[in-house]
């Protein structure tokens, strides 16, 4: 048990209730023990007695008596309530960028962005662990499919969320995906323009190509270009969605006859085709790069490393990452 400590209130903790301050810095200290320490005068602010609802100000000094709980170790993003430390740790491992307004994660494949039927753990829920001292939880501003990996942009404040959401809505963003597809498209690069409609299936929602004017159909535009190929068997595509429809790139890959490897919904069943040895049967679609206006001005350009199963496939086929010609 440590001795008496004195800790100064930080600038971003202005106006925080004292009980919330302790929840941030000493999450293991329960409500009852905190009240006892306050009533007995063992916790003081600038030498004076205080109550749990006292509002603290920057520069004030809080007297911390010896306690049986340790102070929380703060990371690059301080959490208000680390009820699930594993969420905090997992988010920290995904972190590509963070500042006062924006968080960018490299989402692993297999983790859903939002909840739904059969989803027990998802990014939106995990972000509770990074709620700010003012009680503001980071906000999603766009989505990735559960099995798609890569760049996921998150707003730290309400104002940032409004600006980032507007940038996606107004298409002032450039999203670049990498995909490994079956076969090699006839055109080295092309624009794909179709109508898509959602249908309910026993395996969940599925998108299909629709006719113009069909009820519920949305226009979807994607661009692709071949970066490299392995004979006539496989191609590494760079894909850019101009619109943001559900499963858009996956459906468009299937539409041109070159579905993405490991896609459980849109990889056409071909009994004469065997999955190549050394390639994992997992979706080979990765949100590689994003170029988006920063809420405070300028542009944010972030690149996400590929997940392990895709790196393994790239190594197997001998694809050269220099062929991507990326600009950061």
């Amino acid at each position: 048990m440590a001795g008496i400590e004195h800790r100064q209130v930080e600038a971003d903790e202005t106006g925080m209730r004292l009980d919330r301050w302790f929840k941030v810095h000493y999450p293991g200290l329960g409500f009852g023990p905190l009240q006892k320490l306050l009533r007995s005068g063992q916790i003081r602010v600038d030498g004076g007695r205080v109550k749990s609802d006292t509002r603290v100000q920057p520069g004030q000094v809080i007297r911390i008596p010896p306690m049986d709980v340790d102070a929380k170790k703060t990371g690059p993003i301080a959490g208000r309530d680390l009820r699930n430390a594993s969420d905090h740790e997992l988010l920290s491992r995904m972190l590509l960028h963070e500042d006062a307004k924006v968080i960018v994660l490299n989402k692993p494949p297999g983790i859903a962005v939002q909840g739904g039927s059969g989803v027990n753990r998802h990014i939106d829920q995990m972000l509770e662990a990074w709620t700010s001292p003012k009680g503001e939880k980071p906000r999603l501003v766009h989505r990735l499919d559960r099995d798609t990996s890569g760049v996921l942009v998150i707003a730290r404040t309400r104002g940032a969320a409004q600006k980032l959401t507007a940038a996606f809505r107004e298409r002032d963003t450039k999203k670049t995906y990498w995909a490994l597809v079956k076969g090699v498209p006839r055109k080295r690069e092309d624009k794909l323009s179709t109508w898509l409609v959602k249908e309910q299936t026993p395996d969940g929602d599925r998108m299909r190509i629709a006719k113009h004017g069909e009820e519920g159909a949305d226009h979807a535009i994607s661009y692709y270009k071949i970066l490299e190929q392995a004979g006539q068997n496989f191609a590494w595509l760079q894909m850019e969605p101009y619109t943001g429809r559900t499963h858009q790139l996956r459906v468009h890959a299937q539409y041109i006859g070159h579905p993405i490897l490991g896609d459980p919904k849109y990889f056409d069943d071909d009994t004469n085709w065997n999955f190549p040895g050394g390639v994992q049967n997992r979706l080979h679609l990765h949100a590689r790069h994003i170029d988006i206006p920063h809420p405070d001005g300028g542009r944010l350009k972030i690149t996400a490393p590929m997940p392990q199963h895709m790196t393994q496939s790239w190594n197997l086929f001998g694809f050269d990452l220099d062929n991507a010609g990326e600009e950061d």
Side-chain angles (χ1 to χ4, degrees):
M1 187 183 298
I4 294 172
E5 292 183 73
H6 292 86
R7 296 186 61 166
Q8 195 169 56
V9 177
E10 300 293 334
D12 64 353
E13 296 170 336
T14 303
M16 188 187 296
R17 281 175 56 119
L18 187 61
D19 52 3
R20 179 168 288 178
W21 187 93
F22 271 90
K23 190 66 175 173
V24 169
H25 295 282
Y26 298 88
L29 180 64
F31 178 78
L34 173 63
Q35 296 303 311
K36 186 175 180 180
L37 291 171
L38 287 166
R39 283 196 303 270
S40 63
Q42 294 184 67
I43 292 174
R44 292 175 178 249
V45 175
D46 285 349
R49 285 179 174 256
V50 283
K51 296 181 178 179
S52 60
D53 61 354
T54 297
R55 302 278 178 175
V56 298
Q57 299 300 325
Q60 287 184 324
V61 175
I62 300 176
R63 178 189 189 273
I64 313 294
M67 299 187 299
D68 289 323
V69 297
D70 293 327
K72 178 180 71 65
K73 295 179 174 62
T74 56
I77 299 178
R80 175 183 64 83
D81 184 358
L82 299 182
R83 285 164 294 186
N84 190 339
S86 62
D87 284 352
H88 177 78
E89 291 159 10
L90 184 52
L91 288 170
S92 296
R93 288 200 295 271
M94 297 180 201
L95 192 64
L96 292 173
H97 168 89
E98 63 101 4
D99 59 44
K101 300 291 180 63
V102 184
I103 299 166
V104 184
L105 303 178
N106 184 9
K107 186 188 85 66
I111 295 182
V113 172
Q114 285 185 297
S117 59
V119 175
N120 296 319
R121 193 182 198 197
H122 52 86
I123 299 290
D124 193 33
Q125 174 193 59
M126 292 163 63
L127 287 170
E128 292 279 358
W130 279 358
T131 299
S132 75
K134 297 176 182 177
E136 194 165 30
K137 177 191 155 195
R139 293 168 166 83
L140 298 171
V141 293
H142 69 127
R143 314 284 181 266
L144 290 177
D145 294 343
R146 182 173 188 162
D147 293 322
T148 303
S149 58
V151 176
L152 183 66
V153 178
I154 293 159
R156 293 186 74 172
T157 66
R158 183 187 301 276
Q162 291 171 341
K163 291 182 180 180
L164 291 168
T165 301
F168 280 103
R169 185 176 60 247
E170 296 160 10
R171 301 187 180 125
D172 189 16
T173 63
K174 182 178 180 182
K175 292 181 286 183
T176 303
Y177 288 73
W178 283 358
L180 181 64
V181 301
K182 175 186 172 185
V184 179
R186 185 174 54 84
K187 294 184 178 180
R188 302 300 297 177
E189 54 185 272
D190 203 2
K191 172 185 176 180
L192 306 175
S193 176
T194 69
W195 292 82
L196 300 180
V197 70
K198 184 180 292 186
E199 4 177 68
Q200 305 289 325
T201 75
D203 298 325
D205 289 343
R206 179 185 168 94
M207 306 299 290
R208 66 167 173 82
I209 303 295
K211 293 179 180 178
H212 185 194
E214 189 171 332
E215 185 179 356
D218 290 314
H219 194 203
I221 298 173
S222 306
Y223 298 86
Y224 80 83
K225 67 177 177 180
I226 300 172
L227 295 181
E228 203 164 345
Q229 63 190 76
Q232 293 300 312
N233 298 319
F234 306 99
W236 164 18
L237 300 188
Q238 177 172 297
M239 305 187 78
E240 295 177 8
Y242 178 71
T243 53
R245 311 304 179 199
T246 302
H247 300 169
Q248 176 177 318
L249 297 179
R250 297 162 62 181
V251 180
H252 275 168
Q254 180 199 40
Y255 170 68
I256 61 172
H258 301 283
I260 299 172
L261 262 65
D263 192 329
K265 286 182 182 284
Y266 302 103
F267 194 92
D268 297 325
D269 184 25
D270 184 345
T271 54
N272 296 321
W273 192 84
N274 294 315
F275 221 77
V279 175
Q280 294 184 43
N281 190 1
R282 303 181 70 184
L283 182 66
H284 282 62
L285 179 62
H286 177 66
R288 174 66 174 178
H289 185 81
I290 196 162
D291 177 344
I292 187 169
H294 193 282
D296 287 340
R299 296 191 72 86
L300 189 62
K301 301 180 180 183
I302 303 290
T303 299
M306 285 191 296
Q308 186 272 332
H309 74 278
M310 288 183 65
T311 299
Q312 181 180 324
S313 299
W314 260 240
N315 290 337
L316 181 72
F317 293 124
F319 290 155
D320 184 355
L321 294 183
D322 290 338
N323 288 338
E326 292 176 309
E327 295 181 9
D328 289 328

